[in-house]
Amino acid sequence: MTPSVVNLTAHEVRVIVDDATDVCFLPSGRVARLREEVTALPSLSLGDGLVPLTRVRYESTVEELPDPQPDVIYLVSRVLAAAVGRPDLVFPSEEVRDAAGRIVGCRSLGTFAGGVDA
């Protein structure tokens, strides 16, 4: 059976397979995220004034990530995929940028688990 891909990001993800073909994954309406702990640090004193500085740590709590399901691959952020390491999680990899430097798609879906078990 062909696995289905559920996009758990807030963005449309476009995989540019070649210059003429692409596959688009629309957001599912659910966004999987790692909960963040943000702590204020002393500001940086720069030539133009003070710039706030914060320390960000990711907690182990993952919000809106379903349990693994047969024949389902979840498209998530790279940070979440790295933190969780499940074989059913993929992320946009090999980003493609336009002339202004904006990301317009990616060349592949990546995984940290060595392969997708779907």
Side-chain angles (χ1 to χ4, degrees), residues 35 44 49 61 114:
R35 190 171 289 167
L44 297 174
T61 304

Side-chain angles (χ1 to χ4, degrees), residues 5-11 13 25-33 63-66 72-77 80 86 89-90:
V5 177
V6 177
N7 182 352
L8 296 177
T9 74
H11 311 281
V13 175
F25 301 101
L26 299 175
S28 67
R30 292 177 71 176
V31 178
R33 297 186 190 278
E63 299 171 343
E64 294 294 325
L65 180 62
V72 178
I73 298 169
Y74 296 107
L75 178 55
V76 298
S77 71
L80 191 145
R86 282 183 8 196
L89 303 182
V90 296

Side-chain angles (χ1 to χ4, degrees), residues 16-69:
I16 302 168
V17 179
D18 58 41
D19 291 334
T21 307
D22 64 332
V23 178
C24 187
F25 301 101
L26 299 175
S28 67
R30 292 177 71 176
V31 178
R33 297 186 190 278
L34 283 172
R35 190 171 289 167
E36 293 181 348
E37 175 188 323
V38 180
T39 306
L41 297 174
S43 295
L44 297 174
S45 180
L46 304 176
D48 294 336
L50 295 177
V51 175
L53 181 65
T54 57
R55 176 178 47 235
V56 178
R57 292 186 181 168
Y58 292 105
E59 298 178 2
S60 60
T61 304
V62 180
E63 299 171 343
E64 294 294 325
L65 180 62
D67 291 332
Q69 300 294 320

